[in-house]
Amino acid sequence: MRHRIVQFEGRRFSIKLEPLWWERLEQLAQQQGLRLNQLIGKIAGDAAEEANLTAALRSHCLSSVLE
């Protein structure tokens, strides 16, 4: 597990993910012309309020592969 603290628009996210997920998120951010914190903020904003952020990040990564 790799722990990172990501800040976006005044919100701080404390996230623990396996390196594979971090690599995929970094790839997706680069493909979309975003910084990693911007992508994470976007995913967090799209997720339901009660949603687990790490689950939403993993789900986003998986759905990007299936598209």
Side-chain angles (χ1 to χ4, degrees):
M1 292 289 245
R2 188 167 162 202
H3 180 254
R4 287 186 177 181
I5 296 176
V6 179
Q7 187 167 338
F8 181 70
E9 292 185 350
R11 293 181 63 191
R12 287 175 51 119
F13 303 99
S14 178
I15 306 165
K16 286 184 184 179
L17 290 169
E18 293 81 3
L20 175 70
W21 298 114
W22 285 117
E23 289 170 22
R24 183 62 185 152
L25 287 167
E26 289 168 357
Q27 290 171 352
L28 290 170
Q30 184 178 25
Q31 289 171 2
Q32 296 176 33
L34 300 171
R35 297 175 108 165
L36 181 61
N37 67 324
Q38 292 172 314
L39 177 63
I40 291 172
K42 181 180 179 297
I43 295 168
D46 292 344
E49 288 234 359
E50 65 278 352
N52 178 299
L53 180 56
T54 55
L57 293 170
R58 288 183 181 109
S59 181
H60 184 82
C61 289
L62 285 174
S63 67
S64 72
V65 173
L66 298 174
E67 294 175 344

